[in-house]
Structure formats: C-alpha cells, structure tokens
Amino acid sequence: QVHLEESGGGLVQPGGSLRLSCVVSGDIATIHIMNWYRQAPGKQRELVATIDHNRTTNYADSVKGRFTIIRDNAKTTSLQMNGLKPEDTAVYYCNRLQNGLTYWGQGTQVTVSS
C-alpha cells in the first residue's frame, strides 16, 4: 500500500508563489511516475505536471514557464508555482503510478485572489 500526503496550499495574491509538497510512504517502487493534477470548481481534473523516475518532466501548456515539478528526494515531490494567476485556483492533487496501480493524495486547496 502507498500513501500520499500533500501540503503547502493556501491563499496567495496574483503574481505570488507557492510550493506544494507531496510525501510518499509505504511500499515505494523505484520505477514510477509522479504527477500533480488540479481540479477547479465545475471543471474536470487536469494534469498539471509530471516527473518520472528518470527525472523526465512534462507540463501542461497553461503552466509552462511558471510551474516546476521537483523530485526533492525518494519520498518527496514538490510543485513550485510562480507567477500565480486567479485561474490557477483549484484543489491540487498528487498522484503516483507504480506497478500498474495509481494512488492519490487527499488534495490541497490553492486560491489565487487579491
């Protein structure tokens, strides 16, 4: 079993920054993919950023150049968010794929508002 726990959400003004963290515990596999998703009210959950075990990264077009996904260590993956916009407001979820299974955290709220 794998457990994911996000932290770092909050309220920030437009143009500000936040850093989200996802800590993984349990039966961690070396070969894996870590993702950050977000879901705004009334919208579908969307993939924001991805990093695999080789540290290969990919980003949604809407966040390229502003967000950075970082593998801090074997158990922690972060999402550094700069230049935040009101449209970035959403619940952010970390997600892990390993051994054909997918795991989700409980989500952390990010609100961008003046």
Side-chain angles (χ1 to χ4, degrees):
Q1 187 68 15
V2 174
H3 179 73
L4 282 66
E5 185 164 353
E6 304 98 334
S7 62
L11 173 65
V12 63
Q13 292 187 343
S17 298
L18 278 177
R19 187 179 179 105
L20 307 182
S21 292
C22 176
V23 177
V24 182
S25 60
D27 187 15
I28 298 173
T30 301
I31 299 175
H32 65 272
I33 298 172
M34 290 294 300
N35 304 301
W36 281 98
Y37 284 79
R38 67 185 180 188
Q39 187 166 20
K43 294 187 176 182
Q44 289 188 333
R45 191 171 296 190
E46 64 170 340
L47 179 61
V48 174
T50 294
I51 187 167
D52 69 13
H53 55 277
N54 292 319
R55 299 180 188 260
T56 300
T57 60
N58 279 291
Y59 297 92
D61 288 342
S62 58
V63 306
K64 279 181 182 176
R66 301 188 298 123
F67 290 12
T68 304
I69 188 168
I70 302 160
R71 184 184 176 194
D72 299 289
N73 54 56
K75 294 186 177 182
T76 305
T77 301
S78 296
L79 184 68
Q80 177 66 43
M81 306 186 294
N82 299 327
L84 283 162
K85 305 175 181 180
E87 51 263 43
D88 294 318
T89 296
V91 178
Y92 284 71
Y93 300 88
C94 70
N95 165 272
R96 184 177 178 96
L97 305 176
Q98 65 175 49
N99 298 329
L101 299 175
T102 184
Y103 302 92
W104 292 92
Q106 82 287 351
T108 185
Q109 176 70 46
V110 171
T111 303
V112 184
S113 175
S114 55

